[in-house]
Amino acid sequence: MSLKTVMNKSARVLSRLGSTTVRKFSSDKHAKPSSFATKCASLYSAREGADRGLSPPVYFGSTFTLDDAHHGARLHEKREAAYADDDGFVYARWGTPTNEATARQIAALEGVDDEKSPGGTMLFGSGMSAITSSLMATLKAGDHAIFPYTVYGGTHEFLEEFAVHWGIEVDFVDAAGPGGPNNYRAAFKDNTRVVYTETPANPTCRLTDLAGVALAVDDRYGAAVDQVGSDPSDRTRPWVMTDGTFATPYHQRALSIPGVDVSIHSATKYLGGHSDILAGAVTSRSEAFLHGLSKVQKLITAPLNPMDSFLLARGIRTLDVRMQRHGQNAMKVAQMLEDHPMVASTFYPGLDSHPDRYMADATFTSGRDADSEEGDVTQTYGGMIAFIVDGEGDEALRRARNVCESLRVFNLAVSLGGVESLVEHPASMTHAMIPRETRLAGGLPDGLVRISVGLERASDLVEDLRSALDRCDEDAASDSDGSVAQA
């Protein structure tokens, strides 16, 4: 279903509720206002036909008019779900037309767009809100969850600062490469309720064999059996979740892998694509999971607001072409890094030297459809690269910081996936909250630098990085007049 079709459907629903198109005061239950104050406070709308605009409207309303009291009762009695039904919307904390339309578009990208399917997507105010809401929907005191060592720093912080204090037992495993599924298997317990993956991993770009992990879960707990109308806690098989932010559905449609239950994205990144919103997306085929997630969103977190939902949908329209350019540029940058004498290691799934290269072509689908023919798309491997500056300990830390601070085309900033290229030093930035021993165990050495390759001319990016690496032993990143350059 197209975004415009969904918005038009939402408009028709709202029209039945009396909150869209022209309010004809003489023909509905509202009297035509005659006083100045009542005219100010009354609802006036565009005439019928306004929904023909090529760009979908943004519904900012926090509440929605009702047909009658019974209509309000029905809406409040409904079981929480990802989408509204034909009764429409009641209150923005429970969802809005703009939010739902964008959510349906992401669900379509994930392959969950069958009108008869109970699955769907829900949008949140940040990637972390999407992650924590998914975990709160499925975990309770006494449960056990398994996470990869190389997990996003914010996810690790939530586990250490909140989850363990709520009585949830957490173990970490090496999830990458051929040994990943068996490492998860060895950590299984009778009370395991979440098996969490992040692939490609942040920031090392290591890959996890999702099919192998799901099969390991099936071998121990059996295949998933979800009943519509049940709760997430009713299921004994763990929920298999994956954070696929680095790949996006352009490269990786995790829910097409049997046994994978939940796909999570920080939509702040590639899906939005312009570094101007915070957003998170969670998609599942399970009605039970989405019910639990909806309840968490309604009572604890919140849906993505209408304006950012609109901006996210606008960004998604160029996702296909942006991801092509990200990947093409990243390959050229990665090849330069691999050959530079001050780079000890380069982690990019498209390089033959990458430890998980054997999985890369299958993981990075590059926007292929089932009916795509050879030559229809160019194989790419995403826009994220990690590399380790040569050196040990403090020397590596110093050199890596100098590289980051010497760049003039790349921007020194956290986040990723925007049209502009970004660089960051995990040891002193995104993963600074993780103990050094844990960080090293997860494959994040002191000299590791992460770059998000943008849409600039590839040669500009290559020369910027090469120049910074050539000067990495210089302790100040300053202009010729001695002033420190702005990143």
Side-chain angles (χ1 to χ4, degrees), residues 69-383:
H70 291 298
H71 183 205
R74 289 198 308 274
L75 287 167
H76 283 80
E77 290 171 353
K78 291 181 185 294
R79 175 178 167 87
E80 292 86 355
Y83 305 141
D85 60 17
D86 285 345
D87 263 336
F89 299 85
V90 60
Y91 188 57
R93 183 160 52 83
W94 302 1
T96 67
T98 312
N99 178 292
E100 180 175 315
T102 306
R104 286 181 178 273
Q105 187 171 21
I106 294 176
L109 299 181
E110 296 269 32
V112 185
D113 54 350
D114 183 349
E115 287 287 331
K116 298 179 181 179
S117 168
T121 294
M122 298 188 64
L123 301 180
F124 295 81
S126 70
M128 275 308 304
S129 182
I131 292 168
T132 56
S133 296
S134 298
L135 297 176
M136 286 189 286
T138 51
L139 292 171
K140 63 182 184 302
D143 288 344
H144 173 247
I146 308 170
F147 290 78
Y149 280 120
T150 310
V151 71
Y152 174 58
T155 306
H156 187 279
E157 186 175 6
F158 171 76
L159 298 172
E160 294 293 328
E161 297 293 333
F162 293 94
V164 296
H165 298 293
W166 295 341
I168 296 166
E169 185 182 358
V170 177
D171 280 324
F172 294 92
V173 300
D174 181 357
N182 283 333
N183 291 336
Y184 276 104
R185 190 190 304 268
F188 291 159
K189 298 183 178 182
D190 290 343
N191 61 333
T192 301
R193 292 295 176 265
V194 167
V195 171
Y196 193 95
T197 67
E198 183 180 300
T199 183
N202 180 9
T204 60
C205 302
R206 292 297 306 271
L207 305 180
T208 298
D209 178 3
L210 290 178
V213 172
L215 182 60
V217 173
D218 285 346
D219 288 345
R220 170 65 185 270
Y221 302 96
V225 178
D226 291 328
Q227 297 293 330
V228 173
S230 64
D231 290 325
S233 59
D234 292 341
R235 193 171 82 166
T236 57
R237 180 189 188 271
W239 296 93
V240 179
M241 303 181 181
T242 186
D243 180 343
T245 297
F246 274 24
T248 80
Y250 175 82
H251 283 305
Q252 176 177 274
R253 292 153 214 172
L255 297 180
S256 66
I257 300 172
V260 176
D261 300 296
V262 180
S263 175
I264 302 172
H265 294 277
S266 174
T268 306
K269 314 304 195 294
Y270 286 109
L271 294 179
H274 294 81
S275 302
D276 56 5
I277 62 169
L278 294 176
V282 182
T283 306
S284 179
R285 299 184 189 278
S286 169
E287 187 273 344
F289 171 79
L290 291 170
H291 165 63
L293 187 69
S294 300
K295 190 174 285 290
V296 171
Q297 185 181 75
K298 184 178 80 170
L299 299 177
I300 303 175
T301 56
L304 185 64
N305 69 75
M307 189 68 233
D308 285 348
S309 297
F310 171 84
L311 291 173
L312 175 56
R314 186 173 67 174
I316 289 172
R317 291 187 196 126
T318 59
L319 178 67
D320 182 80
V321 293
R322 283 189 289 108
M323 292 304 293
Q324 293 176 38
R325 180 67 171 266
H326 283 301
Q328 292 165 355
N329 281 357
M331 178 60 84
K332 295 175 182 177
V333 171
Q335 289 169 339
M336 183 279 294
L337 290 171
E338 190 165 50
D339 292 337
H340 199 284
M342 292 307 299
V343 175
S345 301
T346 303
F347 295 91
Y348 184 64
L351 294 177
D352 289 340
S353 59
H354 192 277
D356 305 320
R357 179 65 182 86
Y358 70 99
M359 286 194 286
D361 285 357
T363 298
F364 292 87
T365 58
S366 303
R368 289 187 186 88
D369 297 309
D371 59 353
S372 294
E373 298 181 0
E374 186 174 354
D376 284 351
V377 297
T378 301
Q379 176 67 55
T380 56
Y381 302 92

